[in-house]
Amino acid sequence: MATRDVKLLGILTSPYSNRVQIALNLKSIDYEFIEENLHHKSEFLLKSNPVLKKMPVLIHGDKPICESLLIVQYIDEAWTKGPSILPSDPYDRATARFWAAYIDDKWYPLFRELRLEREEGKAAVIEKIVEGLVLLEEVFGKGKAFFGGDSVGFLDIALGCYLGWLRVVETTVEVKLLTEAKTPELLGWAERFCANDAVKDVLPEPAKLIEFRRMRLARENVPAATR
Amino acid sequence: MATRDVKLLGILTSPYSNRVQIALNLKSIDYEFIEENLHHKSEFLLKSNPVLKKMPVLIHGDKPICESLLIVQYIDEAWTKGPSILPSDPYDRATARFWAAYIDDKWYPLFRELRLEREEGKAAVIEKIVEGLVLLEEVFGKGKAFFGGDSVGFLDIALGCYLGWLRVVETTVEVKLLTEAKTPELLGWAERFCANDAVKDVLPEPAKLIEFRRMRLARENVPAATR
């Protein structure tokens, strides 16, 4: 596959772009990464995703595909060679899609809530974040390497790309979110996921995310005390 | 397929339940409809969808599948006999999923906004609803019977099930949302969709929806003037 055939418009510190990078790596697809600027979006991006105007966008040939989880599904369906990303059984596939939507719509928005919350409200939000992780620990089950079984799959990608920001919260709020006591399976899973060949060069260093966060907060004029 | 194998927990006036009913009809799957009460959810429902506690839930054998668009995809993938609901081409499939998500996440929430908006703000919301329909008119293109081509497909189901509530708004707010001037293709499509064999006995009568709306507003204590 020639590089010019597949382009990814994204941001290297974005979990959503990371999802697509990992899916492309899993399928051994060569691609060109085009780094976008969150605050000065390129004409190419705006033309490719005129409705949502958001990253990431995968350009396959001349066709744009938008929304990270839809792109991951597209990659799985368009490149049938290489390992499957979604489970082959329809029920397992529906279940993976359900939990991926739960992670994006219910669980991860708690991180934004945490950022906006005053000091006294943070504990309650952290409790909800951990409750979500305990739920996902149940979904994971026991004795597997990944949500997808022996190899990285759809739900691994959906949750795993938030691990960087989870680490940032653990550092900045000084709290442990993944613990041996409550989420022992996910603790081991997170290590395996980050060390995986398709993942390890994609996930940004925590220091990079903390710097990205500092710049974003400065831009948003959030008082230092509530950062 | 014996009826006891497939159960649908839903509400007959809900667009989300209607989506699943239509998908089951398209595949000629015999099923038992179990009518739920929005305000007194059954133990069966709460056990089947403990995370979101929402209708519809499809029970296939003893397995619950939640979230209407995920259920429609599941039906398409689990019963491969019968007409395909999603397009066969991966890019067309990604596009259909993108627009279905747009309809659910961006466009239909405007109806709720309209309901909550005071009289003076309604015109702006109606304009946004129509803008969304004009966008979907472009997606539809020209000279087709359905979004899915010759037959009802994923995007037809996603948008079509809101037609009942669209008609209710047209009646109660006294405005035309689908018009010959701005959305001539969708106007014809809406007629064909509602007359389709898999659809016509599923979509509730507007009078039923207006009564349902009246009861819901009374329960929410919305003053009559803002209904």
Side-chain angles (χ1 to χ4, degrees):
Chain A
M1 176 66 60
T3 296
R4 72 185 60 177
D5 264 0
V6 184
K7 294 182 178 69
L8 174 57
L9 282 59
I11 291 184
L12 288 168
T13 49
S14 154
Y16 307 105
S17 299
N18 296 161
R19 284 175 172 172
V20 181
Q21 293 172 277
I22 292 168
L24 291 165
N25 286 350
L26 283 171
K27 294 278 188 178
S28 305
I29 298 162
D30 195 13
Y31 67 98
E32 180 187 353
F33 190 92
I34 301 176
E35 178 85 2
E36 286 283 334
N37 182 323
L38 200 55
H39 306 288
H40 301 284
K41 293 169 183 172
S42 73
E43 279 304 309
F44 190 20
L45 175 81
L46 298 175
K47 210 186 84 188
S48 304
N49 190 358
V51 178
L52 304 181
K53 302 178 176 64
K54 283 198 312 185
M55 279 82 63
V57 179
L58 184 78
I59 313 282
H60 186 193
D62 56 358
K63 290 177 176 164
I65 304 107
C66 308
E67 294 292 87
S68 67
L69 291 180
L70 299 187
I71 300 173
V72 171
Q73 289 183 75
Y74 172 79
I75 290 170
D76 200 31
E77 294 173 355
W79 285 274
T80 47
K81 280 187 189 169
S84 290
I85 296 174
L86 276 98
S88 59
D89 176 74
Y91 182 72
D92 294 341
R93 211 146 57 221
T95 305
R97 287 181 183 132
F98 175 86
W99 285 109
Y102 167 80
I103 289 165
D104 273 10
D105 301 342
K106 306 286 174 193
W107 180 75
Y108 193 62
L110 294 169
F111 284 73
R112 188 180 154 77
E113 228 176 87
L114 185 66
R115 192 157 68 82
L116 300 175
E117 190 59 71
R118 286 161 187 276
E119 213 47 55
E120 58 270 26
K122 283 192 195 303
V125 180
I126 287 170
E127 201 178 309
K128 281 202 252 175
I129 290 175
V130 172
E131 272 172 22
L133 289 169
V134 169
L135 205 55
L136 291 163
E137 171 93 3
E138 279 173 37
V139 174
F140 188 87
K142 284 197 191 302
K144 285 190 303 186
F146 297 102
F147 282 95
D150 292 334
S151 55
V152 166
F154 189 61
L155 203 45
D156 298 288
I157 295 174
L159 181 62
C161 287
Y162 289 130
L163 282 172
W165 288 107
L166 188 140
R167 299 293 184 219
V168 170
V169 167
E170 288 190 325
T171 306
T172 54
V173 187
E174 292 176 18
V175 65
K176 282 282 162 208
L177 299 174
L178 286 176
T179 59
E180 195 61 58
K182 292 196 169 174
T183 48
E185 293 285 340
L186 288 191
L187 206 58
W189 161 81
E191 250 184 59
R192 281 188 297 278
F193 180 77
C194 293
N196 185 273
D197 277 345
V199 176
K200 62 183 178 197
D201 296 328
V202 170
L203 292 191
E205 297 291 320
K208 218 175 209 173
L209 292 180
I210 289 173
E211 174 59 15
F212 182 86
R213 177 175 175 276
R214 197 191 58 72
M215 284 171 62
R216 192 179 57 191
L217 292 173
R219 183 181 275 268
E220 290 172 9
N221 290 322
V222 177
T226 62
R227 290 178 195 175
Chain B
M1 178 65 61
T3 296
R4 73 184 60 178
D5 264 0
V6 184
K7 294 183 176 69
L8 173 58
L9 282 60
I11 291 184
L12 288 168
T13 50
S14 154
Y16 307 106
S17 299
N18 295 161
R19 285 174 173 173
V20 180
Q21 292 172 278
I22 292 168
L24 291 165
N25 285 351
L26 283 172
K27 294 277 188 178
S28 305
I29 299 163
D30 196 12
Y31 66 98
E32 180 187 353
F33 190 91
I34 302 176
E35 178 86 2
E36 286 284 333
N37 182 324
L38 200 55
H39 305 288
H40 302 282
K41 294 169 183 173
S42 73
E43 279 304 308
F44 191 18
L45 175 81
L46 298 175
K47 210 185 85 188
S48 305
N49 190 359
V51 178
L52 304 181
K53 302 178 174 63
K54 283 199 311 185
M55 278 81 66
V57 179
L58 184 79
I59 314 281
H60 185 194
D62 57 358
K63 290 176 177 165
I65 303 108
C66 309
E67 295 291 90
S68 67
L69 291 180
L70 298 187
I71 300 173
V72 172
Q73 288 183 73
Y74 172 79
I75 290 170
D76 200 31
E77 294 173 355
W79 285 274
T80 47
K81 280 187 192 170
S84 290
I85 297 174
L86 276 98
S88 59
D89 175 74
Y91 182 72
D92 294 343
R93 210 147 57 221
T95 306
R97 286 181 184 133
F98 175 86
W99 286 108
Y102 166 81
I103 289 165
D104 272 11
D105 301 341
K106 305 286 174 192
W107 180 74
Y108 193 63
L110 294 168
F111 284 73
R112 186 178 156 77
E113 228 177 86
L114 185 67
R115 191 157 69 83
L116 299 175
E117 191 58 72
R118 288 162 185 275
E119 212 48 54
E120 57 271 27
K122 283 193 195 300
V125 181
I126 287 169
E127 202 178 309
K128 281 201 254 176
I129 291 176
V130 172
E131 272 170 24
L133 288 169
V134 169
L135 205 55
L136 292 163
E137 171 93 1
E138 281 172 38
V139 174
F140 188 88
K142 285 196 187 303
K144 287 191 303 186
F146 297 103
F147 282 95
D150 292 335
S151 55
V152 166
F154 190 61
L155 203 45
D156 298 288
I157 294 174
L159 181 62
C161 287
Y162 289 130
L163 282 171
W165 288 107
L166 188 139
R167 300 291 184 221
V168 168
V169 167
E170 288 190 324
T171 307
T172 55
V173 187
E174 292 177 18
V175 65
K176 281 282 163 207
L177 299 174
L178 286 176
T179 58
E180 195 60 60
K182 292 196 169 175
T183 48
E185 293 284 341
L186 288 191
L187 207 57
W189 161 81
E191 251 184 59
R192 281 187 297 276
F193 180 77
C194 293
N196 184 273
D197 277 346
V199 176
K200 63 184 179 196
D201 297 329
V202 170
L203 292 191
E205 297 289 320
K208 218 175 208 174
L209 292 181
I210 288 173
E211 174 60 15
F212 182 85
R213 178 175 173 276
R214 198 190 58 72
M215 283 171 62
R216 191 179 57 190
L217 292 173
R219 183 180 274 267
E220 291 172 10
N221 290 321
V222 177
T226 62
R227 289 177 196 175

